[in-house]
Amino acid sequence: MTFNLSVSPDFAPDHISGWYFFNTWLQRTLDIGIHLELYDSFDAQRKDIRADKFDLIYANPYDASMLVRELGFQAVARPASQPDETVIAVNAESDFHSVEDLVEGCRVATTDDPDVHTMGMIMLESADLDSSNVEIKQHSSYVVGAKNLLNGDADVGFFLKDAYDELSELIRSRMRVLVRSEISVVHHSLLVGPRMAEHIPALQTALLTMQDDAKGKGVLESMGISSWEPMDVEQTEFMIDLIDTLID
């Protein structure tokens, strides 16, 4: 039997090859067949998730709620010391130097990554801004959002911190961060579906020792991850409850 793996579309383009390396490493380590399918759209991926297409998913916090509570997935690991945080940034030449400087009618470059968008909107509340008095400009990726800021088609942008940090130095040098969130307990996680449940013990053991092996360490580096740490039911439920509260 061949299992199917997918990855939340918000990873940096430079890490595409890393996920293919990871898939190969997983197959050899667990001695099972795994097919990797990547997406450039959250909506397209969620459609296939709901169609029960996947058995292993590196999921963003928003999708983790659906996967665990509706589809019976179980979180087994998360990247160590790598929480998901949101960055609000502007063009370096912008007259806005703080969130409170932003005004009604400003154009917000965002993506369809719901947890990052939601946190960005929450952070705009200090300027008395919400979806009713700003112009939301949704883009397919953080790179496209950054380009909109740089060419003057948006006034402010929301970014996943890791995605912002991995923009080219040239792009970041032309942008200025107004604020970063500091939640610390929200993060991407690797979740296993019911069909693959029997492999959880072997998978978790392999992941938690991955950095100790030369090949495993190389794969981790290509993914932008230093190591994995275990994730239990309590941690998973706490994170999901927090995300559900923010989005509701």
Side-chain angles (χ1 to χ4, degrees), residues 12-205:
D14 290 348
H15 294 155
I16 290 177
S17 60
W19 284 104
Y20 280 99
F21 295 151
F22 178 69
N23 187 52
T24 299
W25 177 87
L26 268 183
Q27 292 183 84
R28 292 175 177 172
T29 301
L30 301 181
D31 194 24
I32 56 176
I34 304 175
H35 168 72
L36 172 63
E37 187 157 350
L38 301 179
Y39 293 78
D40 57 11
S41 163
F42 288 91
D43 288 339
Q45 186 190 51
R46 288 188 191 111
K47 181 178 179 180
D48 282 347
I49 288 174
R50 290 193 177 279
D52 197 26
K53 185 172 181 177
F54 299 109
D55 307 288
L56 184 64
I57 302 179
Y58 182 67
N60 61 69
Y62 176 86
D63 288 337
S65 177
M66 170 183 65
L67 288 161
V68 171
R69 294 187 173 170
E70 297 180 32
L71 302 177
F73 277 67
Q74 178 179 334
V76 296
R78 63 188 179 191
S81 303
Q82 200 168 316
D84 286 2
E85 302 291 359
T86 297
V87 167
I88 295 183
V90 296
N91 189 306
E93 298 179 358
S94 170
D95 292 332
F96 303 131
H97 291 272
S98 70
V99 169
E100 289 72 24
D101 290 337
L102 299 174
V103 297
E104 291 188 10
C106 68
R107 300 161 298 169
V108 179
T110 185
T111 68
D112 58 352
D113 192 341
D115 47 315
V116 173
H117 176 76
T118 300
M119 182 51 59
M121 293 304 296
I122 289 173
M123 290 194 288
L124 289 189
E125 291 176 359
S126 62
D128 293 325
L129 300 177
D130 56 36
S131 58
S132 71
N133 58 13
V134 299
E135 180 183 349
I136 304 297
K137 301 169 68 68
Q138 189 175 93
H139 301 290
S140 59
S141 70
Y142 294 112
V143 173
V144 175
K147 289 180 178 178
N148 267 253
L149 276 182
L150 298 185
N151 63 25
D153 288 336
D155 301 302
V156 61
F158 299 161
F159 300 87
L160 178 67
K161 180 182 178 298
D162 286 352
Y164 181 87
D165 290 343
E166 290 174 355
L167 293 172
S168 71
E169 185 175 350
L170 175 61
I171 290 177
R172 283 187 285 109
S173 70
R174 297 173 60 193
M175 297 167 66
R176 182 171 68 248
V177 174
L178 297 186
V179 65
R180 292 179 172 87
S181 68
E182 297 181 357
I183 300 177
S184 302
V185 295
V186 176
H187 41 73
H188 282 52
S189 50
L190 193 65
L191 293 94
V192 177
R195 287 187 299 268
M196 200 175 171
E198 65 180 287
H199 297 284
I200 288 178
L203 171 62
Q204 194 168 50
T205 297

Side-chain angles (χ1 to χ4, degrees), residues 61-63 114-115 118-119 122 241-248:
Y62 176 86
D63 288 337
D115 47 315
T118 300
M119 182 51 59
I122 289 173
D241 285 342
L242 178 58
I243 288 295
D244 288 348
T245 299
L246 292 177
I247 292 177
D248 290 342

